[in-house]
Amino acid sequence: MNGNLRVGSLFGIPFYIHLSWFLVVGFAMFSGGIIGLGFALLVFSSVVAHELGHSLVAIRQGIGVKSITLFLFGGLASFEKEPKTASAAFWVAIAGPAVNLILFGLFTVIVLLTALASIAVPLSAPLALIFGFLAYINLILGLFNLIPGLPLDGGHILKALVWKITGKPKQGLVFASRMGQIIGCFGVAISILSLFNMPLVLFGIPISGGIWTFIISLFMLQNASHSTDVNQAAEELLDYHKKIYSQQHEFVQVDAQDFSHLDLKFYQQTQRQLERLGFEKLADMEDVTISKANRSQPRILIRVMLSRDRRTVAGIFHFPLPLLVKALQAIGLAPKGGKTIDLESEFEDGTFLTTSNTQGFDNSSPFPKIERQQLPGTASISELVRAHRIRVRDLNPHTPALIIRNFDQAIAMQHRLESLKNSHKEAQGYLTREDIQRQAKKGQEAAAEVLGDALDDLKARKSQEE
């Protein structure tokens, strides 16, 4: 896991410590030496108990626990999936604070007993101090985590309650996220006012906050927003894939001059090279379905060409890339991509062969009955055509490639190819965690994991709402 050190397992659950945790330990040792370290470890032992509360209840609910991680602001139990019901979500969320409040009661009783015992045995006084500290810490942890806003447990409890009342998990998520943002803003505001010695007065009571109030409020504000943003991103991605893979695409012939935002010289140069290899131009077209589904992106021109033997259709594409990506490509830190040549052949048994220069650029999941060859973006057009022809020849004795005679037949072939993709995507739910992980670039693995979790949660919510 990124930035985490595995230190063992608890009840079979992998246990990690994030590097930020050592900042707290270092500060504690700097402030109080060995005693400070001891108290820091007592705090984190209470945090571990808190996360175990969540985890063990989740396991009882049939939810796998991927890990428990200690970090700067406490701990995090990572689950394999979201609870299926509002009641299950409630009990998983409340379990952590409940453990702390139970420990508070237990340690309070022990403190009272050790205080009485210290009259006869003086050595009991240090024990009373330790247990008193544990009681105090668990009370703070329990009450703090009950604040009703995400990402705190109180926010998850609120989410479960709203879900239970409305029957819609998304409404619970949105409401709890908004509450987290409001509470975070409030904490930041009182911290800033306190900095200028202007405490906020509510009902005649002055409320102030220090640096930790500011940091925790900022953390809460950011993560409450993150909960909404990530879920929104997952929903938009899923909706986009549904639009793309749930219908037959509409292709229309277009005038290339209407696509001046693209590199038209690339189209011309590629066309000439393919013509030298025996291809002829059929038409320029646009996939209107994709253009409508992704209006925020520039329209894409597709130049369609056909091989001399009528068995291979070539598509020429230019996907405009951001300047930063182009700069990274120029110095070799990003794979070549954006200018794509795609060769396609269909066989009599209903299978397809595609060859393209998208290796390292297009990491989309494979489809059944579609064999895909991907060469690097630096591959020449002749290398692409040669690789495709060799594979077609290898397959031809067993399953001859179909003859394509004109543009209409090329579009019909494309529709049959789409039909295979659509059936497969529909069976998978259009978008999966694996799809997201495959598309993640180096350094984006953690973000892909978070987005994958959000996607799984979204699908679970939609299933419950149907």
Side-chain angles (χ1 to χ4, degrees):
M1 297 177 69
N2 194 24
N4 296 334
L5 301 175
R6 181 164 181 173
V7 294
S9 297
L10 295 170
F11 297 94
I13 303 167
F15 181 50
Y16 294 88
I17 292 179
H18 190 268
L19 295 178
S20 63
W21 180 81
F22 293 100
L23 294 175
V24 178
V25 174
F27 178 77
M29 290 188 67
F30 176 78
S31 303
I34 297 299
I35 295 176
L37 173 62
F39 278 106
L41 294 177
L42 289 176
V43 171
F44 279 106
S45 67
S46 298
V47 173
V48 171
H50 176 103
E51 298 304 330
L52 277 175
H54 290 306
S55 300
L56 296 178
V57 171
I59 291 171
R60 291 271 298 180
Q61 299 284 351
I63 301 168
V65 182
K66 293 189 287 188
S67 64
I68 292 176
T69 304
L70 293 183
F71 68 110
L72 177 63
F73 292 107
L76 176 67
S78 179
F79 304 126
E80 291 181 354
K81 59 183 179 180
E82 280 282 297
K84 292 184 177 180
T85 66
S87 297
F90 174 84
W91 290 115
V92 171
I94 205 170
V99 166
N100 291 128
L101 294 177
I102 290 170
L103 288 175
F104 161 71
L106 176 64
F107 288 131
T108 299
V109 171
I110 293 175
V111 166
L112 294 175
L113 293 176
T114 52
L116 292 173
S118 66
I119 298 173
V121 184
L123 289 177
S124 297
L127 290 177
L129 176 63
I130 292 173
F131 287 123
F133 179 76
L134 283 170
Y136 171 75
I137 285 300
N138 278 280
L139 177 63
I140 295 299
L141 284 174
L143 295 180
F144 173 74
N145 276 283
L146 288 174
I147 293 174
L150 288 175
L152 300 178
D153 295 331
H156 289 283
I157 293 169
L158 179 62
K159 180 178 74 172
L161 292 174
V162 175
W163 176 4
K164 184 71 174 179
I165 293 169
T166 64
K168 296 181 179 180
K170 183 179 178 181
Q171 285 194 12
L173 172 67
V174 171
F175 187 79
S177 295
R178 293 288 179 261
M179 284 298 296
Q181 291 171 338
I182 291 170
I183 294 169
C185 286
F186 179 77
V188 169
I190 63 172
S191 299
I192 294 174
L193 289 173
S194 298
L195 183 65
F196 295 98
N197 200 25
M198 298 169 57
L200 185 67
V201 179
L202 288 178
F203 306 108
I205 302 173
I207 301 175
S208 61
I211 184 64
W212 276 109
T213 302
F214 178 79
I215 292 173
I216 292 172
S217 298
L218 203 61
F219 169 79
M220 191 171 178
L221 178 61
Q222 179 183 1
N223 283 273
S225 304
H226 180 68
S227 298
T228 306
D229 293 343
V230 170
N231 281 275
Q232 183 67 30
E235 190 158 11
E236 289 176 358
L237 267 177
L238 182 59
D239 287 344
Y240 174 75
H241 279 75
K242 278 187 176 180
K243 291 175 183 176
I244 295 301
Y245 292 110
S246 63
Q247 59 182 308
Q248 180 175 286
H249 287 210
E250 178 187 358
F251 297 99
V252 297
Q253 294 194 43
V254 293
D255 184 349
Q257 299 308 312
D258 294 334
F259 293 78
S260 57
H261 58 284
L262 303 179
D263 185 354
L264 297 181
K265 287 185 178 180
F266 161 71
Y267 285 89
Q268 292 293 343
Q269 292 169 355
T270 306
Q271 177 183 332
R272 285 195 292 269
Q273 292 180 62
L274 284 171
E275 285 172 343
R276 286 196 288 269
L277 294 170
F279 284 76
E280 64 178 85
K281 178 182 173 182
L282 292 182
D284 286 333
M285 70 177 188
E286 178 185 6
D287 187 333
V288 177
T289 304
I290 290 182
S291 296
K292 288 180 178 178
N294 198 7
R295 295 184 184 277
S296 62
Q297 297 297 318
R299 295 164 58 205
I300 303 300
L301 170 69
I302 307 171
R303 181 154 294 172
V304 184
M305 302 187 70
L306 183 63
S307 64
R308 184 183 292 115
D309 64 1
R310 307 290 177 180
R311 298 181 188 277
T312 300
V313 175
I316 306 170
F317 308 80
H318 174 210
F319 301 95
L321 298 175
L323 289 175
L324 177 59
V325 176
K326 291 181 180 179
L328 292 174
Q329 287 180 341
I331 59 177
L333 294 181
K336 296 293 183 182
K339 295 179 178 178
T340 302
I341 299 95
D342 186 56
L343 307 174
E344 298 175 353
S345 295
E346 181 182 9
F347 298 91
E348 289 184 354
D349 63 354
T351 60
F352 289 82
L353 169 68
T354 69
T355 304
S356 64
N357 59 340
T358 57
Q359 187 182 93
F361 183 73
D362 176 11
N363 296 318
S364 56
S365 302
F367 293 91
K369 302 182 74 174
I370 301 174
E371 182 176 331
R372 182 171 62 175
Q373 295 188 121
Q374 289 181 291
L375 276 65
T378 53
S380 67
I381 294 173
S382 60
E383 288 174 327
L384 284 170
V385 173
R386 182 165 56 252
H388 190 81
R389 285 175 174 169
I390 289 172
R391 190 62 184 138
V392 169
R393 187 174 63 243
D394 291 342
L395 296 172
N396 235 350
H398 311 288
T399 52
L402 295 181
I403 300 296
I404 303 297
R405 301 188 183 281
N406 51 47
F407 177 71
D408 289 338
Q409 290 186 3
I411 295 302
M413 183 188 87
Q414 190 64 34
H415 284 157
R416 290 190 292 272
L417 181 64
E418 286 171 6
S419 180
L420 285 178
K421 293 181 178 180
N422 291 355
S423 298
H424 178 65
K425 283 293 188 179
E426 183 180 7
Q428 288 191 319
Y430 297 103
L431 181 66
T432 66
R433 171 189 291 272
E434 290 71 28
D435 292 329
I436 293 173
Q437 291 172 337
R438 288 176 66 93
Q439 292 286 11
K441 303 295 188 292
K442 187 176 181 180
Q444 297 178 337
E445 295 86 354
E449 186 74 14
V450 172
L451 188 57
D453 289 341
L455 176 66
D456 290 343
D457 297 345
L458 173 64
K459 286 185 173 182
R461 291 199 306 270
K462 286 184 176 292
S463 176
Q464 291 155 5
E465 291 173 358
E466 290 175 354

